[in-house]
Amino acid sequence: MYKYHCLNPISRAGLGKLDENYKKTEQADEADVILVRSAKMHDMEFSPSLKAIARAGAGVNNIPLDRCAEKGIVVFNTPGANANGVKELVIAGMLLAARDVIGGINWVQEHEEDGDLAKLTEKSKKAFAGTEIAGKKLGVIGLGAIGVLVANAAVHLGMDVYGYDPYVSVDSAWRLSRNIHHAKTVDELYRECDYITIHVPALKDTVGMIDKNAISLMKKNVVILNFARDTLVNSEDMVDALVSGSVKSYVTDFPTPEIAGVKGTIVIPHLGASTEESEDNCAKMAVEEIRDFIENGNISHSVNFPDCSLGEKGESPRITVLHKNIPNMIGQFTTLLADKGINIELMTNKSRKEYAYTMMDVVGEVSEDVVGQIESVNGVLKVRVLQ
């Protein structure tokens, strides 16, 4: 019996995929697995029983990844599960920036009791006239799950789309429309596009990437959309650009005191993935990842350990070892097992920067003594035996 704990409400569409081998606990310190959405985990203490954390969403800024890795806790996320919900809001954001729909709606509400509203509307509507997005140039920075959907949708809306991503995956490349221009540098995208939308993670080299230097390369009256992370945009530089008129509109899903209320901003209260479908999809994907790891030892969509799989577990015991990526680890494992008369039928090893994962299907009894000897190898973080 495995115990799971939810730090946030998790959709029943996902939790319903847990069978009788899983039991919910209200005590995080006795859980084998924690499911989380937005709850902050940096100040949490993690018990030795905790094997995995699954984030029902893409961003993992609320989870201490390095500390989890050092304790042998695999952290999963659900990339792409909420991509359609975010894509639809990005398109809506572009339309709201192109046509002053919000201003028009507010004007109607202010004059709703005017007895001659229809006639007054015809005289006043020019103040809210805008432009169409068809024929305009859209730059998409980051061609992951969301960026690809945004780029393809914009092509279908008649936009001229430029994409920039030096690390685009093979899967994303296959899904990307052939009508999208490949920008060789982000500066090229800045210079060419009327609309720019960012879809990259918050990393050391992306935080603050939209700053005064980047804005200085852009067209005057550019519209910038940020539905990825608030820290990707330098708020002070953005306010200066909006006040000076070099940026026509900044559309963001991240309300902050610096941005909210500034003329030219359209600030949405973090609704990108807040749809029933997105929450269901994220929960289902998180539970599927957890079950595959707990029951088969396979890792898929981890953010702190390498993806690694031996497929569905068969009759043989399966030993899984989370460890540091240092020389002679596999040699030590195989020698130790051979000395105990345990034969390895199937083995795989994957590494990701300083961490690695080894899986072995074996023939022979894997006793507590064997597990203890593997755990004693310098650099080993956690050992599990699936019988």
Side-chain angles (χ1 to χ4, degrees), residues 22-56:
Y22 295 84
K23 179 182 178 181
K24 187 174 183 179
T25 176
E26 298 303 324
Q27 304 301 319
D29 60 359
E30 64 180 26
D32 297 284
V33 171
I34 289 177
L35 292 157
V36 63
R37 290 174 61 198
S38 59
K40 306 297 184 185
M41 302 185 69
H42 288 277
D43 294 331
M44 286 185 65
E45 293 295 327
F46 300 123
S47 72
S49 65
L50 185 61
K51 301 170 181 62
I53 297 169
R55 159 78 164 98

Side-chain angles (χ1 to χ4, degrees), residues 68-138:
C68 287
E70 286 297 319
K71 289 180 173 293
I73 301 168
V74 180
V75 180
F76 297 89
N77 70 344
T78 58
N82 59 11
N84 188 69
V86 179
K87 174 209 75 176
E88 290 185 359
L89 199 59
V90 172
I91 298 300
M94 277 199 293
L95 293 169
L96 291 174
R99 311 279 294 274
D100 190 9
V101 177
I102 296 174
I105 291 172
N106 291 339
W107 181 89
V108 171
Q109 291 177 340
E110 291 169 6
H111 296 83
E112 61 186 1
E113 296 183 3
D114 194 306
D116 204 11
L117 181 57
K119 186 175 181 180
L120 185 60
T121 295
E122 291 305 311
K123 290 182 178 179
S124 304
K125 68 180 184 180
K126 289 183 179 179
F128 311 108
T131 61
E132 299 177 13
I133 62 173
K136 302 301 189 297
K137 293 181 178 180
L138 169 67

